[in-house]
Amino acid sequence: MQINAEQTFPEVAEFPGRSRQLDTAAYSLRRDGFALLLFGVAVAVAMLPALAAPGRNIVGWLGDNVQYVYMTGWMAKALGAGLSPFVDPHLNYPSVLALAATDAPFFNMIIVAPVAWVAGPVAAYNLLVFSSHILSATFVYLWIRRLTGSRFGGIVAGLAFMLVPYRIVHSYGHLQLVSTQFIPLFFWALDSALRAERPAAKHLLFLGAATFLVGSGGAQYYLVFCLLAAPVYALLTRGQPGYLLRHGWKLAGVAAWGAIIASLPYLVAEAQSAYVPYKLAELRFWSPDLYDFLAPSRLHPLWGAWIEQRYPRTTWIEHTLYPGVAACLLALLALTLRPGLRVPRIRAWLGTALWGLLLALGTDLHLAGQPLRWENPFWLPAYYLVQLPFLDFVRVWARAAILPFLFLSLLAGVGAAALQRRFRRPWPIMLICMALLLLELIPGRLTSAPLDLRPIDGWLEEQPGDFAVAFLPAGVDNYRAMYGSLTHEKQLPAYNHPTHRPVVFDRFADETRSFPDAHAVEALRKLNVRYVILHRATYDGKNYPAWEAVQAGLAETAALRVVAEMDAFTVLEFTGPERGAP
């Protein structure tokens, strides 16, 4: 006999008396305390390299993560000074820098501003990563526990989502992509609204708020993917045209408002022509290989090194898309044990996961590192979607894999709960399931790096006055320079996305590329730059003149003199009437 999921897994919402009981803090702590403790331990393992000095160390090598530390620090500083947190007037000199030129969880950064004020931007950044990990697990746990009544099922689902290799590898520097915690809330809200005979105000408010949080507290990428997946989820949950015609516009309306509000900083940047549409060749380059969904993480402590040798990938951070065998088997149990296979929710989870997988394949199929067909490829949905307005900024469609990862973890939680209920003494099988899941998804060989101020930044802090400096070649150690500006507050040319660079910065880069010739020196003088700071190693005779040639040119230039040398930098100052104004 077919067993209905609502009979097998009675929802808490169907028992008002019990719901009132669950509202008490003491009961919630007793009920969920172990799960939260387990998530906390798992997060500590995932962030272990940074925990020794959370105010100094960050997971990964110094790259994009430095930019997000800077942005976290700037938003806190701007809020304390009553300035716009979305615009830094010190950077992109002689203009200003719009932070929304890159994707960032601005809402989260604003929330942790007090931590940045007290403990510094590195500590605030680490708190953002920590909270994103644990909340991603917690929201999935709460949804499954509510549906199944099984804490074990919720724990399995939470761990499967939090520790999926995609999330772990992106913690190396993509803060916005680690911030997945609001995606479960979005689909939970959508599911609740669709299951109501008539969506009430609370359903609409929940959905609108969740949509806003996905876009403002996560990634604009995720907002796009959620909005693209929502119609599929709605059709599979409530396929009756009449229902969708009567109530679908309400759900679409509140989701649209949430999305627009969340995207306001980006819409303003778009109006100022901040973005450059990606070319098809670049989109195809970032399309994942089919093997990427089968190859385990190269960070795994047991078989990661073997995977790295057998399947080397220069783009491994973007293309670590392995879902995990244990999670897949548990999800399969959710379907084969039939604990509610006919329930529209399970069908919606499976269908939306498949739609997300199709999006994640990119513009066209790739295998063995190459498109299956270079000429006349068989285009996938992503190719057609990027032709639409506002979707041409989506470069890496592989990130849509977060959708199948979410629904796979939810199905794994349902499967674990169903397996638990089939045994009179379930503890041995529960321990085996948990051990296999954790063994496969252990975060592994993560690295960390200390983020300290460079000596040149300390030297600039010691120089009194408000003036402009220029690091050359243009863009060298760009993110470290941005981070240093939080301390010395000097003005300097900078950008926060290598593709969407400001026109002002590109002009500066073009005019100074041939430094120290007369044209470049004159351009710097006109900018009223006081100090020109040269990164000696970059002048290697390849993309820029050799350092010996630069020294020879400086010897013939009376307008500049060397005033300091530290680490890799040589500091020049304009002399006489050419000196930059303070």
Side-chain angles (χ1 to χ4, degrees):
M1 182 178 69
Q2 180 74 31
I3 299 176
N4 188 283
E6 271 68 13
Q7 296 171 344
T8 306
F9 300 141
E11 297 184 24
V12 173
E14 297 175 1
F15 301 94
R18 189 178 176 190
S19 292
R20 287 192 293 270
Q21 181 187 19
L22 295 181
D23 286 337
T24 64
Y27 182 86
S28 297
L29 183 61
R30 290 196 305 271
R31 179 193 59 198
D32 302 324
F34 175 75
L36 297 179
L37 177 62
L38 185 59
F39 295 153
V41 171
V43 172
V45 173
M47 295 191 63
L48 191 60
L51 293 183
R56 181 185 180 218
N57 291 350
I58 53 179
V59 173
W61 51 80
L62 299 184
D64 287 353
N65 45 15
V66 178
Q67 175 186 202
Y68 287 108
V69 175
Y70 149 74
M71 295 173 77
T72 302
W74 166 251
M75 297 195 85
K77 176 174 282 192
L79 291 170
L83 302 174
S84 169
F86 301 104
V87 177
D88 189 338
H90 301 98
L91 301 183
N92 191 32
Y93 177 83
S95 183
V96 298
L97 183 70
L99 270 62
T102 195
D103 204 356
F106 292 126
F107 179 81
N108 299 352
M109 291 174 173
I110 291 173
I111 293 298
V112 300
V115 178
W117 296 335
V118 174
V122 174
Y125 169 85
N126 280 326
L127 178 60
L128 286 176
V129 178
F130 183 93
S131 62
S132 295
H133 282 319
I134 199 166
L135 289 176
S136 294
T138 300
F139 290 144
V140 170
Y141 162 81
L142 290 174
W143 193 5
I144 291 299
R145 193 217 65 205
R146 183 178 181 87
L147 293 178
T148 67
S150 169
R151 286 174 289 179
F152 172 64
I155 290 172
V156 166
L159 289 174
F161 186 55
M162 181 180 73
L163 296 178
V164 68
Y166 166 93
R167 294 192 69 263
I168 299 303
V169 300
H170 278 295
S171 70
Y172 266 42
H174 295 156
L175 177 62
Q176 82 284 23
L177 300 180
V178 179
S179 303
T180 58
Q181 62 266 38
F182 301 121
I183 301 176
L185 285 185
F186 173 84
F187 287 102
W188 191 351
L190 180 61
D191 184 86
S192 299
L194 290 169
R195 285 177 53 79
E197 287 302 319
R198 181 172 184 167
K202 64 178 182 180
H203 297 118
L204 301 178
L205 181 62
F206 186 16
L207 180 59
T211 307
F212 166 78
L213 290 172
V214 169
S216 64
Q220 287 286 295
Y221 270 86
Y222 292 158
L223 179 61
V224 169
F225 299 148
C226 285
L227 294 178
L228 290 175
V232 175
Y233 195 100
L235 287 171
L236 294 174
T237 302
R238 298 294 296 256
Q240 309 94 325
Y243 177 89
L244 296 178
L245 288 174
R246 288 193 306 272
H247 303 297
W249 65 271
K250 302 175 188 177
L251 306 183
V254 296
W257 273 110
I260 290 172
I261 296 173
S263 302
L264 280 177
Y266 305 96
L267 294 174
V268 171
E270 169 65 17
Q272 298 171 348
S273 302
Y275 305 121
V276 177
Y278 293 109
K279 297 180 180 179
L280 180 59
E282 188 169 8
L283 298 177
R284 295 187 72 185
F285 171 80
W286 288 105
S287 295
D289 195 309
L290 289 176
Y291 292 149
D292 293 333
F293 296 90
L294 303 175
S297 171
R298 64 204 61 234
L299 297 180
H300 197 281
L302 298 181
W303 48 75
W306 186 88
I307 292 295
E308 191 167 5
Q309 291 177 357
R310 299 299 188 278
Y311 185 58
R313 288 283 274 170
T314 56
T315 56
W316 63 271
I317 288 185
E318 291 290 3
H319 292 149
T320 297
L321 303 172
Y322 178 68
V325 172
C328 289
L329 290 177
L330 287 170
L332 187 61
L333 284 176
L335 304 178
T336 57
L337 293 180
R338 305 178 74 82
L341 183 62
R342 296 174 59 188
V343 174
R345 177 185 295 112
I346 304 298
R347 184 175 64 235
W349 288 357
L350 183 60
T352 309
L354 293 175
W355 171 236
L357 178 61
L358 189 59
L359 293 177
L361 289 173
T363 56
D364 58 306
L365 289 179
H366 284 59
L367 189 64
Q370 300 290 334
L372 286 182
R373 293 191 299 182
W374 277 103
E375 302 294 335
N376 301 316
F378 180 79
W379 298 119
L380 295 174
Y383 168 77
Y384 299 99
L385 289 170
V386 296
Q387 316 300 325
L388 300 176
F390 300 108
L391 292 187
D392 54 3
F393 78 92
V394 180
R395 178 182 58 173
V396 188
W397 282 88
R399 296 171 179 178
I402 194 62
L403 297 177
F405 293 149
L406 169 63
F407 293 110
L408 177 68
S409 68
L410 293 171
L411 287 169
V414 172
L419 192 64
Q420 175 190 11
R421 291 174 184 269
R422 291 181 71 88
F423 293 89
R424 181 172 298 179
R425 294 182 178 178
W427 285 105
I429 195 68
M430 291 167 62
L431 290 175
I432 292 173
C433 287
M434 191 67 69
L436 291 176
L437 184 73
L438 292 177
L439 175 64
E440 187 176 23
L441 298 183
I442 188 170
R445 302 177 289 115
L446 276 68
T447 61
S448 69
L451 178 55
D452 297 317
L453 283 177
R454 303 170 303 174
I456 186 63
D457 298 316
W459 184 86
L460 286 172
E461 184 183 10
E462 295 172 356
Q463 310 310 307
D466 178 17
F467 54 84
V469 301
F471 285 91
L472 293 182
V476 64
D477 213 4
N478 178 68
Y479 295 155
R480 295 290 299 277
M482 294 167 67
Y483 176 68
S485 73
L486 293 174
T487 300
H488 59 68
E489 296 186 337
K490 303 303 187 282
Q491 301 173 73
L492 56 97
Y495 62 87
N496 60 350
H497 194 287
T499 299
H500 309 302
R501 300 198 309 187
V503 173
V504 169
F505 180 86
D506 280 343
R507 185 184 306 121
F508 165 77
D510 290 340
E511 291 179 342
T512 58
R513 179 173 297 276
S514 58
F515 183 87
D517 71 2
H519 173 77
V521 172
E522 179 63 15
L524 290 166
R525 186 192 65 78
K526 289 182 177 178
L527 282 175
N528 288 327
V529 169
R530 173 173 292 187
Y531 296 116
V532 179
I533 305 172
L534 307 181
H535 188 257
R536 294 188 295 272
T538 309
Y539 288 100
D540 56 3
K542 297 177 181 178
N543 295 322
Y544 298 94
W547 177 244
E548 293 76 13
V550 172
Q551 288 180 305
L554 290 174
E556 300 176 359
T557 304
L560 290 165
R561 63 185 178 93
V562 176
V563 294
E565 289 194 3
M566 57 201 73
D567 290 345
F569 295 99
T570 294
V571 183
L572 308 175
E573 182 182 23
F574 276 99
T575 58
E578 292 92 354
R579 176 174 175 173

